[in-house]
Amino acid sequence: MSFSILKQIGDAQKKKAVVDVRSGDTVKVTQKIKEGSKFRLQTFEGVVIRVDRKESHTARIVVRKVTSGVGVEKSYLIHSPLVEKIEIVRRAKVRRNNLTYLRERSGKSARLAGKDFDRAAVNDTTVAEEAEEVAETPEVEVVETPAEEKESEAKEA
């Protein structure tokens, strides 16, 4: 198989609406698990310690959480049909993409500084939709307060 055929297959499987996941985000990844002939959904909540976007259709994230004192890491292909959804719970302020130094830390030293964000807006819209919303917002109308109106009338007179 040539590379162009693989790219076409990858582009066909790409999900249309993908949340903008970054390193340091606390996410809930819902994955389909096949047991016999049935499927069930399983969620895994943890901190994204690495984001790989070498090629768009092979983009992956590595999510880490500590359970009963044992660190567990899982790698997810973002565009995989088995990944049902990725929901961002919390964003953190980080200065690098690869947060593997968190593996050696525990307790307070493993915490990441929080960052304010609108959870509903991040999980419901894609980056492209947000850009369209910004472009469509009307300009703000400036309204003068009564005190400002008196000052402007005094200056005119």
Side-chain angles (χ1 to χ4, degrees), residues 29-153:
V29 181
T30 305
Q31 180 182 18
K32 289 181 190 175
I33 305 282
K34 184 176 182 181
E35 293 179 341
S37 60
K38 296 181 180 179
F39 281 91
R40 67 180 177 87
L41 297 177
Q42 183 179 46
T43 59
F44 186 83
E45 183 175 350
V47 177
V48 176
I49 63 168
R50 190 159 97 211
V51 178
D52 291 332
R53 289 193 175 102
K54 293 176 186 167
E55 297 176 30
S56 59
H57 62 280
T58 61
R60 70 175 57 234
I61 58 173
V62 177
V63 182
R64 176 181 174 79
K65 76 173 181 179
V66 178
T67 306
S68 303
V70 178
V72 179
E73 291 182 9
K74 287 190 178 183
S75 179
Y76 295 100
L77 287 167
I78 294 175
H79 297 287
S80 170
L82 295 177
V83 174
E84 191 71 21
K85 70 177 181 177
I86 299 173
E87 180 183 350
I88 298 175
V89 176
R90 174 178 177 268
R91 286 218 191 258
K93 182 181 175 185
V94 294
R95 295 170 65 177
R96 57 178 62 186
N97 183 35
N98 198 347
L99 304 177
T100 53
Y101 67 88
L102 292 176
R103 292 174 181 160
E104 289 88 36
R105 299 187 180 213
S106 63
K108 281 190 177 182
S109 66
R111 291 187 192 163
L112 298 172
K115 187 188 333 185
D116 293 335
F117 81 107
D118 186 8
R119 183 176 177 179
V122 169
N123 291 319
D124 292 341
T125 61
T126 61
V127 176
E129 291 173 356
E130 288 178 12
E132 290 174 8
E133 290 174 8
V134 170
E136 294 174 0
T137 54
E139 293 184 17
V140 178
E141 184 180 323
V142 178
V143 179
E144 293 183 344
T145 61
E148 291 174 345
E149 289 176 6
K150 290 178 184 177
E151 289 176 9
S152 61
E153 290 174 7

